[in-house]
Amino acid sequence: MAFIELDHVSFQYPSAPTAALDDVALAVHEGERVAIVGANGSGKTTLARLLNALYLPTGGRVRIAGMDSSDLSQHRAIRQLVGMVFQNPEDQLVAAVVEEDVAFGLENLGLPAAQMRPRVDALLQAFDLWDHRLRPPFMLSMGQMQRLALAGVLAVQPRVIVFDETTAMLDPAGRRTVLARIDELHRAGTTIISITHFMGEAARAERVIVLSHGRVALDGPPVEVFSDPQRLHALGLHLPPAAALARSLRPVLPGLPPDLLNTTDLLEALPVCPNPVAVAPEAESAPQTAPRADVIRVVGLGHIYLKGTPLAHRALGNANLRVGLGEVHGLAGATGSGKSTLLQHLNGLLFPQEGQVTVGPHHLHEAGADRYAARRLAGLAFQNPEVQLFETFVGDEIAYGPRQSGLDRPAVREAVRWAMERVGLGFEAFKDRRSFALSGGEQKKVALASILARRPEILLLDEPLAGLDPRSRDELLVTLRALVDLGLTLVVSSHQMDDLAGLVDDATLMSGGWDVLNGPAAMVFEREEELLASGLEAPVAARAALELRRKGWPLPPGLVTPEKLLAALRRP
Amino acid sequence: MSEFEYLRNLPFGQVVPGDSPVHRLDSRARILAFTILLAAILFTPHPLGLVFGLVVIAGGLRLAGLPLGYALRSLLSPLPFLIILALLQVFFNAQADTGLVLLRLGPVLITPADLLVGGMLLLRFAGLVLGISFASQVLSTSELTHGMESLFRPLERVRLPVHDGVMALVVAVRFLPFLAQSAERIAKAQAARGAEWTRPASGRNPFTRLWARARALLPLLVPVFVTSLRRAETMALAMDARGYASRAHPTALVEMRFTPRDGLAVGLALILAAVVLFL
C-alpha cells in the first residue's frame, strides 16, 4: 500500500469560483523522491497542504499511512509523520530562543524534557547552530534561519518531508546546501516531496509530477517528463537549463547523448575536439561603440546598518560602480553581498556614510543634494514589489507617483496609460480592476508600472526575477528589453547568472560588501572561480564553453549565453 | 543616520547573560521578587522607604554583577519628563500647607511639603525605571513567558486559556522586529515612488492639514497590515504543521525547578518590600 494516497481529491477555497485541485489521484510510496512542478496557480501549494492535513479535501480522500486526514483525531499523528518546510524560514520560527524552536514540535508531542534535550542538542550541533542556541531567531542570518527551520522539522523525526518552494529565494550557495541536505535525507530513507520552480532541481527527483489548473498533467520519471519541450511550454514550464542547452547543442555536437538533464552530466558528456587546433582564436573584437557617458558613478562607498547599536553590521565597504547612459548593468551577488544596499544608495534612500555616489547631476554624498530629484531620476523596484500595493484600484495605484509629482489630471492619466502599456497591461481593461483581486504576476506588473509612471530615466531593479515561475520570468524579460530600447538605463541585481547573462551589457560582481569584478558581461560571467567563491554559479552556457575549450575546442572567450556558444560552434 | 531604520527604536539585546546568584534563581522566583519589590516602590507613602527601595535595587544590581551605570543610563531619556512632572508637583501640590513658606513666586507658594512630594515623585519613578531595567537585564523573553505560564497555571482550573495566552505573547514578541522591518521596507518603497511624509503637509485650515497627514500614512499602513496578516496566517499554518494544538498539554524543553533557595529569595523580597512600605 502506498504511504500517501490521494483518492480523487478536490479542493476549493471558500471564496474561489473554481476548484484549486480537481479530481487528483496520486500515490506516493515510502522512500520516494518526488518533485511537484507547475505554473503559478496550478495548485502545488494546495496539494502540499493536503498532505499533512493542514487543508482537508472538499472532495475525495487523503490517506497518510492508512490514516484518513478528515479524521481530526489523527491529525497529530499525521503531522508527526509528514513534516513541512515552508518557503520563508522566518514564517515557521515560533519560539523566543533558537533551542526552544528546535524543541517546539517535541514539546507539542508532550515528550519529557529529559528525552528532548539530547535530540535537540544533537540537531543544534549537526546544523551548526550550537553557538546561537540561546539567541532569538530573528537575530540569525538567512542561512542560519533556513537551517533552524529544517532542524525544527527534523526534530520530530518525520517519515515524509514536504519542501514547499524552500529554495525559491535562496542564492546558489544556499540552494546547494539545502539540496545536499535533501539528498542526504533521501539516502537515509526519508520520503521527499519538493515543490519547486527550478526545473533543474525537479530533475534531481526520481519522479516529477506536473500540475496544471488543479489537475495532474504529467507524472513520470524526469527523463520522460522533460522529453517534450513543446508540451512543457504549453503547461507554462521549461526544460532544465542544462537540458535546453544540450538540446540546442546536439545539431552541432551530434555525439551528445539525448536525455541530459543536469549540468554535471552535460559537462561530462561534452565530446573532445576531433581535430584540435594548437592556437585558440583571438576574441573577436567587439564592435566599437562610442564610450558611453557615465550616468552612475560610485566610489569607495561604505555603509553600516544600525550604526552605534548592538545590532550594527557593515553591509558595504569600498564598493565601486560605473554605469553608462542607456546601459543594462547587472549586479551579481549572493544574499548579504551588499547589492540591495548599493541599489538603495543610487536613488537617495540611503545616504553615503563613506565614499561618493553620483547619479546624473546629483552628488548624493554632498550636503544639500536633492534626494527627491534623485528619486525621480532613478526609480527603484524592491524585491516582491507587489506587497507594497495599497490603493483599491489599479489606476489609482499607478497614478500615486505622478500625483505626488504634482501633475494635472490629463498628464497623470497619460502617464498611467503609458506605464501600463509598457508592462503589458491594457489601460482600459485594467485601470478599474481591484489590485488585490489580481493574480500574483499581474500585481508584479502593476508594481512595476507604478514606478515607470514617474518616467524615471534610470530603473533600479532588486532581484526582479527571483521566485517567478518560468512563464512570468519570460514575460518580464521581454518587458525589460523593451524598456532598454526606449533608452532607459537599467541596473538589475540577481543571484541567478543565467538570468543576467542574456540581459546585461556590463556586470559587477559583489561579494562581502565590495565589487570583486567589474567589466563586460562576457568577461564577468566566465570567471567560474570568482563566481563560485562569491556563492554564485557561472551560467550553464559559460560552463559548457569552458569545458569544451578544456577539451580542445578552439572557442573564443566570452561565450556566456547559449546563443553565443552555438554561433561559435557553428563557425567553421 | 537613515530616516528609515525603525529597528533602532526597539529594545534589543538587553539580556545580560551571567552566572550570579540572581541569574541562578528560578525564573518564577525572579518574576515574583521583582513584582513584589516594584509594587512596594510604586505604592509606598514613605520617603525613607523609597530611598531604601533604591538601595535594594542598587544592591541587587551589584549582586547580579551588572554595572550600575548601564542601569542609570536607562534613566536618561525619561529624565526631562520626570523633572517637569516633579516641578509641576512642586508648584501645584494641592496638599494643605503647613504654614512654613520657603519661596514665593507670584501667587505660587512653595512649602517643604511641596518639595517632598516632588522629590518623592522623582525617587519613585527612578526606582521603577531602574527596577524594570534590572528585570529586563536578567529575564529573557523565554524565561518570562515560561515563568508566567507556570505562575498563571492555576487559572486554567477556571478555564482560562493560559497556555494559549502565553503563546500569543511569544508570537507577538516574535512579530515586533518583523513589523519594524516590514514597515521599513515598505516606507522605503513608497519613498521611492515619491511619498514624502517627512515634509510638512500644507493646507488652509488645520483640519485639512490633519486629514492630509492621515492620508499620507495610508500608503504605509495598508501594505504593513496586508503583509502582517498574510504573515500571521502562514505562521499559524506553520505552527499547525509543527503539531501545535491549543487543547493539548505540551511539555517544555527548559525545565524549571523551584528550590528552597528560590523560596528564600521570594521571602526576602517580601521582607524588603514590607520595609519599603512601612519604614
Side-chain angles (χ1 to χ4, degrees), chain B residues 128-209:
Chain B
L128 288 176
V129 171
L130 280 179
I132 290 169
S133 155
F134 182 16
S136 64
Q137 286 181 72
V138 294
L139 268 172
S140 69
T141 323
S142 148
E143 288 175 323
L144 191 66
T145 48
H146 285 309
M148 276 171 44
E149 182 173 359
S150 159
L151 287 171
F152 286 129
R153 182 147 295 157
L155 292 179
E156 281 188 338
R157 262 188 233 142
V158 287
R159 299 188 171 227
L160 279 179
V162 174
H163 179 65
D164 284 344
V166 170
M167 197 64 218
L169 192 71
V170 174
V171 172
V173 170
R174 272 273 298 114
F175 247 71
L176 278 182
F178 157 68
L179 268 182
Q181 280 165 342
S182 82
E184 181 177 325
R185 206 153 27 203
I186 289 164
K188 278 181 178 170
Q190 306 300 8
R193 288 172 60 188
E196 296 176 9
W197 51 76
T198 42
R199 283 193 186 177
S202 58
R204 257 151 290 154
N205 65 58
F207 184 74
T208 22
R209 271 211 299 276

Side-chain angles (χ1 to χ4, degrees), chain A residues 163-206:
Chain A
F163 292 88
D164 189 359
E165 292 194 36
T166 305
T167 56
M169 294 296 173
L170 296 181
D171 59 35
R175 219 162 69 226
R176 279 196 295 268
T177 318
V178 171
L179 290 177
R181 294 254 182 223
I182 294 180
D183 288 347
E184 222 171 87
L185 287 166
H186 178 235
R187 271 198 300 276
T190 312
T191 310
I192 304 287
I193 298 173
S194 54
I195 295 175
T196 179
H197 279 319
F198 294 105
M199 297 306 125
E201 250 174 74
R204 292 166 79 120
E206 296 162 342

Side-chain angles (χ1 to χ4, degrees), chain A residues 248-426:
Chain A
S248 57
L249 289 181
R250 203 163 301 129
V252 281
L253 301 173
L256 225 48
D259 305 333
L260 287 171
L261 291 180
N262 66 59
T263 312
T264 326
D265 291 348
L266 169 64
L267 294 184
E268 253 170 47
L270 289 172
V272 174
C273 186
N275 46 349
V277 186
V279 187
E282 289 294 303
E284 57 181 312
S285 53
Q288 281 297 316
T289 47
R292 288 165 161 154
D294 280 353
V295 64
I296 292 173
R297 183 186 298 223
V298 176
V299 182
L301 183 64
H303 189 81
I304 298 172
Y305 280 110
L306 295 166
K307 209 173 177 178
T309 73
L311 285 181
H313 67 276
R314 180 174 274 281
L316 284 179
N318 193 19
N320 302 287
L321 176 72
R322 290 177 78 148
V323 180
L325 188 66
E327 180 192 313
V328 185
H329 195 97
L331 271 186
T335 311
S337 62
K339 54 191 192 330
S340 295
T341 311
L342 178 55
L343 279 179
Q344 289 174 37
H345 278 92
L346 301 184
N347 76 336
L349 278 179
L350 296 177
F351 312 136
Q353 293 173 350
E354 304 154 9
Q356 302 177 353
V357 177
T358 303
V359 177
H362 309 290
H363 301 285
L364 294 170
H365 47 279
E366 286 172 8
D370 188 352
R371 318 179 253 132
Y372 295 106
R375 280 179 204 167
R376 262 195 303 280
L377 182 70
L380 169 64
F382 284 84
Q383 193 173 339
N384 300 331
E386 69 279 10
V387 305
Q388 293 140 9
L389 305 183
F390 59 94
E391 290 278 10
T392 313
F393 297 105
V394 171
D396 288 332
E397 185 72 50
I398 299 170
Y400 175 80
R403 278 182 192 145
Q404 293 282 325
S405 320
L407 296 180
D408 59 7
R409 277 183 66 90
V412 168
R413 200 181 158 84
E414 205 32 57
V416 171
R417 176 194 296 274
W418 181 84
M420 287 178 74
E421 279 164 5
R422 295 289 83 66
V423 299
L425 291 174

